[in-house]
Amino acid sequence: MKLSKVLLSTSLCFTLFTGFSLTEVKAATNDDSTIVPLSCPEVGTYKTSYKSKTTSKKTEFTHYATNNSSTPDSVTRSVAISHVATVNIGGEATFKVLQSGAKINANVGYGCNKTKTLSTTWSVPKGTWKLTAGSSWVRSIGTRYKVAPPCKLTNATTVTANYTYATWSNKTKQ
């Protein structure tokens, strides 16, 4: 009989101790809801994916030079060339994703949109020559998504980065 009383009192103490512990936890949270950790810390941010690119050249200077001598002549001109690195939506982070996807680096920093004057020199042999100069461009296209709970990509928007990556000059016989 003594053993049964010890077992009964032990189980009663354990039940009371467990009951107080649960009550204290509920009192600390002030509600009966279950705490669920964030499953997606990126909620509210944006993700951009790269799709495609096209490259082109823009002629920004043209001059015709004639040399009647058999000795080559040198022609130097100040040439205004575009230098651009912009994106239509999303800022620098979106621009960097599209630039990285295109695998061609811009020749200026993000946000630049201006014309720079460069001094360009051509060697002109005998004859008439067309001297040209300009900038090389990339148009990189992607999709920007907003991250919504629970880590779903929503609100797909097309984004476009336009930027220069080089300057060039050329001469062609006329």
Side-chain angles (χ1 to χ4, degrees):
M1 289 277 276
K2 246 181 170 183
L3 182 60
S4 65
K5 285 184 182 181
V6 170
L7 285 175
L8 182 59
S9 65
T10 305
S11 65
L12 182 58
C13 286
F14 180 74
T15 305
L16 287 173
F17 177 73
T18 305
F20 286 125
S21 296
L22 291 176
T23 305
E24 289 176 305
V25 170
K26 286 184 181 181
T29 62
N30 289 333
D31 66 6
D32 291 333
S33 65
T34 306
I35 299 172
V36 178
L38 286 177
S39 59
C40 184
E42 294 87 12
V43 168
T45 63
Y46 292 90
K47 299 278 184 187
T48 302
S49 65
Y50 168 80
K51 280 188 180 178
S52 64
K53 74 172 183 233
T54 54
T55 59
S56 61
K57 284 187 173 184
K58 179 180 177 185
T59 301
E60 300 180 70
F61 173 83
T62 302
H63 174 74
Y64 291 90
T66 301
N67 180 5
N68 294 323
S69 169
S70 58
T71 307
D73 196 5
S74 181
V75 175
T76 301
R77 294 287 186 267
S78 290
V79 180
I81 308 260
S82 297
H83 292 276
V84 176
T86 60
V87 67
N88 65 334
I89 299 172
E92 187 172 7
T94 299
F95 179 82
K96 285 183 177 183
V97 169
L98 296 178
Q99 178 183 237
S100 175
K103 295 184 178 22
I104 300 174
N105 290 329
N107 64 347
V108 290
Y110 171 74
C112 182
N113 187 2
K114 59 184 162 186
T115 301
K116 291 185 180 180
T117 302
L118 305 174
S119 181
T120 305
T121 302
W122 292 267
S123 176
V124 180
K126 185 174 184 171
T128 300
W129 296 83
K130 180 180 180 182
L131 310 177
T132 54
S135 51
S136 298
W137 288 74
V138 173
R139 178 181 172 92
S140 182
I141 300 171
T143 305
R144 184 175 185 240
Y145 302 94
K146 184 169 186 170
V147 181
C151 272
K152 287 185 179 182
L153 299 179
T154 62
N155 300 339
T157 305
T158 299
V159 288
T160 306
N162 291 300
Y163 60 95
T164 55
Y165 65 93
T167 58
W168 58 270
S169 63
N170 197 13
K171 69 180 177 191
T172 53
K173 181 131 173 90
Q174 298 297 297

